[in-house]
Amino acid sequence: MTPPATGICVVAPAKVNLTLHVTARRDDGYHLLESLVVFASVLDRISLEPAETFSLVVSGPQSHHLELLDPEDNIALRAARAMARLANHKDGVRILLEKNIPVSGGMGGGSTDAAAVLHGLMRLWSFRPSRTLLQELALVLGADVPVCLRGRSTIMEGIGDSLRDAPPLPGFWLVLANPGVAISTPLVFQTRSGAFLPAVPLTDAPRSAEDLAAQLRERRNDLTAAAISLAPAVGECLATLTGLPGCLLARMSGSGATCWGLFATEYEAQTAARTVHAAKPEWWVAPAAVLHSVDPFALANRPPLSR
Ligand code: C5P
């Protein structure tokens, strides 16, 4: 994406839940969570250009779901309008969004776009709200927006509003695979059934990818059964990833349908992704590095990772 002459480019990395413990349901319908969240090198790219009004143009390989919707409903545009209100900024902004993260895929695609727009506009408008105001604005946009704004490996609690650093994580790679289904997050939460189980936070820093996989195996994504009941292809996706050479563990991210396989090396992840692509050409699949700390501006100037 070419930077606009007067504007700014920013990237929005995919959010991946390595664990997702759902521990209770609040009276307002929201659920209390405990989740280990990391960011992966699958990036939406966003350009922000000063303009008199607010507008959004979506392009890219995953734009098809969004093109059918009213841009006014897009969370990236809602984030821009909300930030303008907070900053008392009178003009608008033209947003170009290159969508590479599958929509409604459990990777926080909309939330990470919104967070990137907030980062971009703070820089474009030289506006720095207090941490509290920024956090409040992010949470109103969506429960995953605060963690996306933080952009580093995080333990997320509450409904997504309580955030702290994850223990240091070792180097590892992911293969992300989506069996071509978009699942509604509210529907997955509604479909979840059974007693709530306690969270099992990751407390010790894993020493290696193998150790991380062993620790994650003892933990859960509590939305998996609900997602499989709504989209049985999620079960097939998990089985496919689990069977790949070098796959240390496979789980679902967020409310699905995207699943991840964990690998110790880039070579194994790249090879596994090619294997899945050859066997399931209709699925979306990507090898991904884990970005332990995201600089959305520095990454915007880097060419995309080769697939
Ligand atoms: O906040 P956001 O719009 O991303 O959430 C989408 C939906 O997911 C909510 O309307 C709610 O049904 C469900 N959700 C939940 N508990 C959370 C986060 C989301 O029940 N902590």
Side-chain angles (χ1 to χ4, degrees), residues 12-168:
K15 170 223 72 168
V16 177
N17 302 86
L18 294 182
T19 64
L20 182 54
H21 302 116
V22 182
T23 58
R25 186 176 178 278
R26 294 196 322 194
D27 290 342
D28 65 1
Y30 269 80
H31 292 76
L32 298 183
L33 313 173
E34 192 277 336
S35 179
L36 171 57
V37 174
V38 297
F39 293 89
S41 64
V42 175
L43 308 174
D44 283 350
R45 291 176 181 274
I46 295 171
S47 134
L48 301 168
E49 211 174 320
E52 284 180 15
T53 57
F54 290 88
S55 64
L56 171 72
V57 178
V58 188
S59 65
Q62 297 297 322
S63 60
H64 41 282
H65 284 289
L66 297 179
E67 280 159 357
L68 303 174
L69 303 175
D70 183 353
E72 289 300 325
D73 292 336
N74 189 291
I75 190 171
L77 203 52
R78 287 197 283 118
R81 286 188 191 279
M83 186 55 105
R85 277 194 297 276
L86 191 65
N88 209 12
H89 189 83
K90 300 296 175 219
D91 292 330
V93 67
R94 176 174 148 83
I95 305 174
L96 304 180
L97 167 59
E98 181 191 292
K99 199 74 206 147
N100 299 306
I101 304 171
V103 173
S104 297
M107 288 190 286
S111 306
T112 191
D113 292 345
V117 166
L118 298 182
H119 277 304
L121 290 181
M122 284 190 284
R123 183 167 291 195
L124 192 64
W125 296 341
S126 304
F127 173 61
R128 193 69 217 173
S130 73
R131 191 193 270 249
T132 313
L133 277 180
L134 186 59
Q135 167 89 3
E136 276 172 19
L137 185 152
L139 194 61
V140 166
L141 289 166
D144 271 348
V145 180
V147 73
C148 291
L149 202 55
R150 197 166 193 263
R152 55 180 189 269
S153 304
T154 293
I155 305 278
M156 178 171 89
E157 291 172 315
I159 62 161
D161 52 333
S162 168
L163 307 172
R164 61 189 158 88
D165 278 348

